[in-house]
Structures are given as structure tokens and as C-alpha cells.
Amino acid sequence: MERVGLRAAPRLTLEALKEALKGVRFPEAKVYLITDWQDRREEARYAVVIHGGKKDLLTPDAFGPAFPGGEAALSELVALLLERGARRFYEAVVSPGEMTALLGLPPEELLARVNAIANPTDPGIYLRRAA
């Protein structure tokens, strides 16, 4: 699993992830959005796991409204993934204290844990709408 980006740096992480996405088989990929808040999305931070074929990618908690520019970067990322053919999106909610520990797990354990707690999600809820 390739780790991409820096915590709390949405723009930098997004740009690094765009490079790392080369070689991902999007129609086969599962996109996991790992968040620390379900009922307070306006405060949430998101890490992303892209599990697809030969290549797995993990970002730290770099996206979401908890960080300046994080909501826009998350929206841009989801739009890009949809454009490239990703169709299987999941959300995993963990406690704020569990996020760091989860992201530090070895890849096999991380994927197993995230897969166990994730639920299908509509990627549309992460897209920003023009006013």
C-alpha cells in the first residue's frame, strides 16, 4: 500500500494523489472514505483508501471541512474518481481518537478493519454544489 500526502494538507495531498492514481483500475477499485464524524459532517476530516487491483493507496486525514480547503479538495477528488470510472464508494466512521491508530496499521490489517466497518455511500454527498 502506497501512502500518499500529508495530514491536514488537502491541496498537497490531492496533487500527490493525482500522480499516484496512474495505474489504478477504477472500475474495479473500491474507494473508502474514512471519517471521524458521521453526524457532524461540517467538522469532519477524511482519509482515503483506494483499493484497486494491483495498486492500493492511502492518504492520511487530509480532506474534509476540518481543514482549510479540505472540503473543496475532497469534492474535487470524488469528482475525479467518478470521471475516471470509480463506482464503488464506501464510508467508514471511526471515533476521532481511533483515526490515527487505524491509519497506522499494517496494510492488511487496515484493509480488513476498514472493510469490516464500511458501508456503501453515495459519492454525491461529497460533491460541492455550485451556488
Side-chain angles (χ1 to χ4, degrees):
M1 179 172 294
E2 181 181 346
R3 295 178 184 264
V4 180
L6 296 173
R7 183 178 189 278
R11 186 55 47 194
L12 184 142
T13 300
L14 178 61
E15 294 308 316
L17 192 54
K18 286 179 181 179
E19 273 302 307
L21 287 172
K22 294 175 182 170
V24 172
R25 294 181 181 155
F26 292 98
E28 300 170 18
K30 291 182 179 180
V31 178
Y32 295 98
L33 302 163
I34 305 166
T35 186
D36 58 349
W37 291 109
Q38 184 172 29
D39 58 344
R40 290 191 271 182
R41 288 190 187 276
E42 69 281 354
E43 298 174 34
R45 55 191 172 130
Y46 289 86
V48 179
V49 173
I50 300 172
H51 178 57
K54 297 179 181 180
K55 191 169 190 179
D56 292 334
L57 303 169
L58 169 66
T59 74
D61 50 332
F63 298 103
F67 308 113
E71 187 174 14
L74 179 62
S75 178
E76 188 177 332
L77 173 60
V78 170
L80 176 69
L81 295 172
L82 286 167
E83 181 181 295
R84 293 191 181 179
R87 296 291 176 260
R88 298 190 294 175
F89 288 81
Y90 301 86
E91 184 176 80
V93 180
V94 297
S95 69
E98 186 183 358
M99 178 78 83
T100 302
L102 179 69
L103 298 178
L105 291 174
E108 300 79 25
E109 288 181 46
L110 172 72
L111 283 172
R113 174 78 175 125
V114 169
N115 192 46
I117 61 174
N119 291 301
T121 189
D122 178 355
I125 66 174
Y126 308 98
L127 300 173
R128 292 177 74 186
R129 304 284 181 224

